[in-house]
Amino acid sequence: MNKKLFVPLLFTVALVGCDDASEAIDKAQDAANKAVDMAQSKLESVDLSVLNIEQFGDAADSASEFAESIDEALNADYSNPEALVEIKEHISNAYSCLVEASSESTADKLLDKVLSSISNEEAQSLIEKGVERAQEMQECVM
């Protein structure tokens, strides 16, 4: 009689353990989904379309190109070093062209406005490195 009770009891314990493990996996997945949603909302909070590119007059094309390079930095694959180098070069060139088409003061104001709205530290660092590189450049290449 004990053997008849032992086997069902053993299966019950095993099933309860599976349910607990499944529940733990579900909780971990929910936490991961919330983290991704939060990161996505931070990226979406940097809306480059609110920049009034037309205010730059003749430098509007350069400002638009700079905004595009910033968008690339925000959406970059930070595990791909080649892509990061390419994005940094794009930022450098776009910033250099913006300075050439307007002024360093105007470009710095735009840069400050953009950086103040970005919470992604990797993107901020990439943008700052691109701008540092731009200050070493001699001319804009479009």
Side-chain angles (χ1 to χ4, degrees):
M1 180 120 183
N2 285 338
K3 289 182 182 180
K4 289 182 181 180
L5 292 176
F6 181 71
V7 173
L9 180 61
L10 183 62
F11 283 124
T12 302
V13 170
L15 289 176
V16 169
C18 289
D19 286 342
D20 289 345
S22 177
E23 188 175 316
I25 290 170
D26 288 343
K27 285 181 181 179
Q29 189 172 15
D30 286 343
N33 287 341
K34 286 178 185 176
V36 168
D37 290 343
M38 188 170 73
Q40 185 67 31
S41 70
K42 284 183 180 180
L43 283 178
E44 291 170 356
S45 70
V46 181
D47 186 7
L48 296 174
S49 67
V50 299
L51 296 175
N52 182 6
I53 300 296
E54 300 306 317
Q55 73 182 345
F56 294 98
D58 293 338
D61 289 339
S62 297
S64 179
E65 188 68 25
F66 182 65
E68 184 180 307
S69 71
I70 298 300
D71 190 47
E72 287 177 4
L74 292 172
N75 297 308
D77 176 6
Y78 287 93
S79 65
N80 184 346
E82 291 89 17
L84 296 179
V85 168
E86 186 176 312
I87 292 168
K88 183 171 78 172
E89 288 301 317
H90 187 196
I91 291 169
S92 297
N93 191 53
Y95 186 81
S96 179
C97 292
L98 181 58
V99 168
E100 191 175 294
S102 60
S103 69
E104 191 166 347
S105 172
T106 301
D108 283 343
K109 287 178 185 176
L110 177 59
L111 176 65
D112 290 342
K113 185 175 186 177
V114 167
L115 287 177
S116 70
S117 66
I118 296 174
S119 60
N120 181 332
E121 291 180 17
E122 291 176 314
Q124 280 183 342
S125 176
L126 182 62
I127 293 164
E128 289 169 349
K129 288 176 184 174
V131 170
E132 287 172 12
R133 169 81 173 97
Q135 293 168 346
E136 298 168 4
M137 295 176 71
Q138 298 298 318
E139 61 183 47
C140 161
V141 181
M142 276 225 168

